[in-house]
Amino acid sequence: MTDVSEAQVSEAEIASHWREEEYYSPSARFIAQANGADPAIFERFSEKNFPECFKEYAVLLSWDHYWHTTLDTSNPPFWKWFVGGRLNASYNCIDRHLAKDRNKAALIWVPEPESEVTHVITYQELYKRVNEFAALLQDLGLKQGDRITFHLPMVPALPISMLACARLGIIHSEVFGGFSGTACGDRIADSGSRILVTMDAYYRNGDLLDQKAKADEALAAAKELGAEVDRVLVWRRHPGRYSSQTPMVSGRDFFVDELLADYRGRVVEPVSMPAEAPLFLMYTSGTTARPKGCQHSTGGYLAYVTGTSRYYQDIHPEDTYWCFADIGWITGHSYIVYGPLSLGTTSVMYEGVPTYPDAGRPWRIAERLGVTIFHTAPTTIRMLRKLGPDEPKKYNYHFKHMTTVGEPIEPEVWRWYYNVVGKGEAAIVDTWWQTENGGFLGSTLPALQAMKPGSCGPGVLGIYPVIYDEEGRAVPAGSGRAGNICIRNPWPGLMQTVWRQPERFLDVYYRKYNADPDSKDWHDWPYFAGDGALQAEDGYFRILGRVDDVINVAGHRLGTKELESAALTVPEIAEAAAVPVIDDIRGRMVEMYVSLKPGIDPDGMEAKVVSAIETEIGKIARPKNVWIVPDMPKTRSGKIMRRVIASVSNFADVGDTTTLANPEVVDGIRHHVQAAKVARGETPRELTETELAEIQSFGNE
Ligand code: WTA
């Protein structure tokens, strides 16, 4: 590895002054047991062995028929992997482990209330429950290729429902349980689901929250978009006892535990699916208000998450693996359910919030269950560090491996994770990737590549990233210049398309850097990730954040357009703009700027906007502040200059305002907003150069 202690800085488009961090090496003990400990693996996955290198991931699965073509590039960028192959994802995650590990724990579910007992679901038990639920779905007339929407919290019903669908080739679409009913309804309509699976209630921060209430809102929202739902299947948090205030609708709503009484012991043969059949949809935010359904395949996706779980998570069948994410996000799909279960390990699920009832909870769980691998997001790490910096010491657990995912992690937070949570024993991987990607794109291979706080590392096995400037010129490693990170090649975990919007797939991810739309050569089709990044001389990437209008709040992507359309559902609002504000725990938070229609009394408008956002999207999107302004700073063509208000919100220099049609409004907004922030105790710390660059170019035209 080259010595890069001297940062190279040049006059960049986005110059980034950034002190090089020191390397940390994994322990000899970790290396000795690691799945990926032979450096020959880099050679096997080098570009000259692409795409056949990915066979190495595919053979980790059990196939009914092998594929005849590893990668079909005949219709770029709609790549096809393992064409001709057939397999079943549910079989791979359950049935194939029964012979050897029938009564080993597949899932261990920890309810939020500490007084409730932990549930252990063995592979045999999972097999039974998945089969019974699959039989029920089959009797409802669902079949291969149909879609079904889930709006489930972190309970075993969620992976059971997913795997039951996978068994039958039904495409599942889980909407994060914390999203509002309306957000769920939009996704029901887009996917064309006729069945919604939900739950009556679940625990969060000590409260039993009503989830079923959102089902009625969801159905109403879907109906407005012309979509009818026939049935709502309701799992109960406490079987036999209904914990929601909402009445059940006769003929439409059914309790799953009651229906299942007729299915005891029913077995459903796994349907042998083409590798290219969609396994699930996962919606994500984009730059328009319409959500994007990322369509993931069966064979390519499962191979990719299994391979990366094996080498990057270092999962062995005997590990107790705990990914502290929500299955409602891609991380949970890939790295709580499909990857770990495919490898036959024990995967832990926790229902609630990290700090309930105190900041020692995660470490009590880790100690109690003997967790060996721990996986979470920077926002959780920051929160636990703030509320319980010394808690980990009090508990006798030992992690061999830890992951961080979802946002950039500050080096000092990384060091707390390493020294205090990992007790200096655990290897850390900082995994950079996206909902669209299925699995990791950038990370160190834990036994073979040293860690560097704040950098994800190089591209993972079989992924060849590049940074391009706006003109499509490659930005060299070590130049100190940032640009748009792209992946030059296709890979098996990549989404197949945007559900029912193939043009959008092409536009969002490929149009920017594809020079020849007729080319059938994958080299002409770099994948545009939408993240800013820079690459150090050692080849490690540092991810700076989104370059589009997406705000990453506590690791959750929120589109400015979605936030603004939500605010505009308030009839008194004339215009709305969403911008990020730097937050020490959540990474970024949302601030809304709104202007009112003429003659409207501003009283109570802030609360209306907040409530509209919670109704349309969910509580995670709740803005830190709503600012009512007489007029928005705009370009001459009438576009709101988000970078100007973003700078105001973050106490940054607003930069050049001479191109504005109405530069005179800026001072008034600044005085009003910043005085109010000072009064609320919200004066920010000094921003780093990269944070400044992000804010001052936010939504740039
Ligand atoms: C950001 C989550 C820095 C990035 C798996 C990306 C990261 C977006 C990292 C995707 C990381 C994810 N370091 N930034 N290790 N991982 N991101 O779709 O901006 O919820 O584009 O997928 O999160 O978020 P998504």
Side-chain angles (χ1 to χ4, degrees):
M1 228 165 273
T2 23
D3 176 36
V4 284
S5 48
E6 296 257 317
Q8 310 270 316
V9 181
S10 75
E11 65 305 328
E13 306 168 68
I14 321 164
S16 182
H17 304 252
W18 151 48
R19 188 171 70 84
E20 270 298 335
E21 297 289 333
E22 278 168 22
Y23 294 111
Y24 288 69
S25 295
S27 68
R29 196 161 152 203
F30 178 81
I31 296 169
Q33 60 79 60
N35 286 329
D38 176 1
I41 199 166
F42 295 122
E43 171 65 18
R44 296 203 301 276
F45 278 87
S46 67
E47 203 168 331
K48 70 175 197 303
N49 293 324
F50 178 86
E52 297 304 323
C53 54
F54 280 114
K55 276 184 178 168
E56 197 165 326
Y57 284 180
V59 297
L60 297 172
L61 304 178
S62 303
W63 294 79
D64 304 328
H65 292 286
Y66 283 115
W67 57 95
H68 52 72
T69 306
T70 303
L71 172 62
D72 171 354
T73 62
S74 58
N75 182 26
F78 303 93
W79 320 112
K80 292 193 169 75
W81 284 90
F82 308 120
V83 185
R86 295 187 87 95
L87 77 170
N88 182 280
S90 168
Y91 177 88
N92 272 278
C93 291
I94 309 170
D95 306 40
R96 66 168 174 158
H97 307 309
L98 294 178
K100 200 163 135 273
D101 288 319
R102 190 176 296 277
N103 278 312
K104 166 180 176 175
L107 296 167
I108 302 183
W109 180 61
V110 183
E112 192 190 69
E114 269 186 301
S115 56
E116 277 191 36
V117 292
T118 293
H119 294 224
V120 176
I121 301 174
T122 62
Y123 277 95
Q124 168 74 5
E125 180 65 18
L126 186 61
Y127 173 78
K128 289 288 177 196
R129 294 201 200 175
V130 164
N131 272 284
E132 288 164 356
F133 193 62
L136 193 166
L137 294 177
Q138 206 170 37
D139 280 3
L140 290 174
L142 283 164
K143 54 179 192 319
Q144 201 172 315
D146 289 345
R147 280 81 53 209
I148 180 168
T149 298
F150 305 153
H151 198 197
L152 289 167
M154 277 296 282
V155 290
L158 176 48
I160 289 168
S161 304
M162 289 162 67
L163 292 163
C165 287
R167 203 164 185 83
L168 298 173
I170 300 165
I171 303 169
H172 59 75
S173 170
E174 154 73 359
V175 177
F176 169 59
F179 270 144
S180 68
T182 308
C184 179
D186 291 349
R187 288 154 177 79
I188 290 175
D190 191 83
S191 64
S193 301
R194 301 194 62 99
I195 293 189
L196 171 66
V197 180
T198 187
M199 185 130 204
D200 60 343
Y202 66 102
Y203 283 99
R204 198 166 168 81
N205 220 5
D207 297 323
L208 189 58
L209 300 186
D210 192 331
Q211 180 75 353
K212 165 66 168 58
K214 295 182 185 172
D216 299 311
E217 293 159 25
L219 265 53
K223 195 166 189 167
E224 234 168 78
L225 295 165
E228 288 286 345
V229 170
D230 306 325
R231 280 196 175 74
V232 180
L233 304 182
V234 184
W235 291 87
R236 284 191 279 193
R237 177 62 177 72
H238 305 281
R241 189 173 102 207
Y242 186 45
S243 306
S244 165
Q245 301 301 315
T246 325
M248 295 286 280
V249 175
S250 161
R252 187 198 75 181
D253 301 355
F254 299 88
F255 292 128
V256 176
D257 55 304
E258 287 180 1
L259 297 179
L260 281 177
D262 294 336
Y263 288 87
R264 208 147 290 148
R266 280 275 293 271
V267 169
V268 174
E269 280 310 305
V271 178
S272 189
M273 298 298 292
E276 276 299 291
L279 179 62
F280 67 86
L281 306 178
M282 165 77 42
Y283 282 87
T284 190
S285 299
T287 47
T288 73
R290 181 170 174 193
K292 285 186 288 204
C294 299
Q295 177 184 319
H296 285 286
S297 73
T298 306
Y301 170 82
L302 197 63
Y304 198 69
V305 298
T306 304
T308 50
S309 292
R310 177 171 162 80
Y311 291 111
Y312 287 90
Q313 298 292 284
D314 198 48
I315 292 178
H316 298 241
E318 58 274 22
D319 277 310
T320 299
Y321 166 86
W322 182 16
C323 174
F324 198 159
D326 196 294
I327 298 177
W329 306 111
I330 192 71
T331 302
H333 273 50
S334 299
Y335 298 112
I336 298 179
V337 181
Y338 285 114
L341 296 183
S342 162
L343 290 174
T345 197
T346 296
S347 185
V348 176
M349 293 175 62
Y350 171 56
E351 179 178 30
V353 301
T355 49
Y356 185 82
D358 57 67
R361 185 68 190 278
W363 323 127
R364 283 202 289 287
I365 294 172
E367 178 185 88
R368 176 100 198 160
L369 302 180
V371 171
T372 51
I373 304 179
F374 184 70
H375 184 155
T376 195
T379 188
T380 304
I381 305 170
R382 289 185 212 110
M383 192 192 303
L384 291 166
R385 174 175 179 248
K386 181 169 178 205
L387 299 178
D390 300 319
E391 285 300 305
K393 283 194 198 80
K394 300 180 189 160
Y395 298 93
N396 183 23
Y397 66 82
H398 293 280
F399 297 150
K400 69 165 189 184
H401 179 291
M402 303 193 302
T403 299
T404 166
V405 60
E407 307 157 71
I409 184 165
E410 300 76 4
E412 67 274 21
V413 177
W414 190 98
R415 277 188 282 271
W416 182 77
Y417 197 37
Y418 182 80
N419 291 318
V420 181
V421 177
K423 306 181 178 185
E425 298 169 343
I428 295 185
V429 290
D430 178 346
T431 57
W432 166 70
W433 61 296
Q434 316 169 297
T435 306
E436 293 86 339
N437 310 150
F440 307 143
L441 292 183
S443 169
T444 50
L445 191 62
L448 293 174
Q449 292 167 323
M451 307 161 241
K452 189 164 72 169
S455 299
C456 65
V460 299
L461 296 168
I463 298 287
Y464 321 119
V466 61
I467 295 179
Y468 286 129
D469 68 13
E470 285 301 316
E471 278 69 50
R473 286 179 302 245
V475 177
S479 65
R481 284 195 292 133
N484 297 315
I485 188 164
C486 296
I487 309 301
R488 291 194 292 105
N489 60 301
W491 68 96
L494 175 64
M495 66 196 279
Q496 301 173 292
T497 186
V498 177
W499 176 254
R500 286 184 173 159
Q501 304 177 74
E503 271 305 307
R504 197 168 172 196
F505 178 64
L506 198 67
D507 280 346
V508 175
Y509 306 103
Y510 288 98
R511 199 78 82 188
K512 191 171 175 82
Y513 290 120
N514 166 247
D516 174 10
D518 294 324
S519 169
K520 304 280 181 219
D521 181 351
W522 63 259
H523 293 86
D524 292 326
W525 294 88
Y527 167 87
F528 172 74
D531 276 322
L534 35 79
Q535 189 178 26
E537 225 165 65
D538 59 6
Y540 282 31
F541 291 96
R542 184 162 175 253
I543 307 298
L544 303 174
R546 303 292 311 176
V547 295
D548 55 13
D549 292 346
V550 170
I551 306 178
N552 190 336
V553 178
H556 308 318
R557 282 161 67 176
L558 302 172
T560 51
K561 283 284 184 316
E562 284 171 274
L563 292 154
E564 291 160 6
S565 335
L568 290 170
T569 62
V570 178
E572 295 90 341
I573 303 293
E575 285 182 310
V579 296
V581 58
I582 309 272
D583 182 86
D584 279 335
I585 299 290
R586 295 158 70 86
R588 303 288 175 272
M589 286 189 75
V590 173
E591 286 202 352
M592 297 300 301
Y593 283 72
V594 296
S595 64
L596 306 177
K597 289 183 182 159
I600 298 289
D601 179 359
D603 235 30
M605 284 300 141
E606 285 179 24
K608 277 198 170 182
V609 171
V610 170
S611 135
I613 289 175
E614 289 187 356
T615 307
E616 295 293 311
I617 306 175
K619 285 202 165 56
I620 48 161
R622 190 187 170 92
K624 183 164 187 167
N625 291 299
V626 177
W627 304 113
I628 297 170
V629 295
D631 196 7
M632 302 275 187
K634 286 188 196 131
T635 61
R636 294 205 175 87
S637 59
K639 252 205 78 141
I640 299 174
M641 287 286 262
R642 292 194 185 77
R643 67 167 175 80
V644 172
I645 47 182
S647 300
V648 167
S649 275
N650 290 280
F651 291 76
D653 182 357
V654 294
D656 182 10
T657 54
T658 55
T659 57
L660 292 182
N662 54 352
E664 69 285 353
V665 304
V666 177
D667 271 348
I669 295 176
R670 190 174 60 219
H671 288 138
H672 165 65
V673 168
Q674 294 184 347
K677 281 186 165 250
V678 170
R680 291 174 197 184
E682 290 179 19
T683 31
R685 60 172 167 76
E686 204 185 320
L687 302 188
T688 66
E689 301 232 12
T690 47
E691 287 169 345
L692 260 183
E694 175 194 326
I695 295 301
Q696 292 177 329
S697 63
F698 187 74
N700 221 348
E701 282 304 293

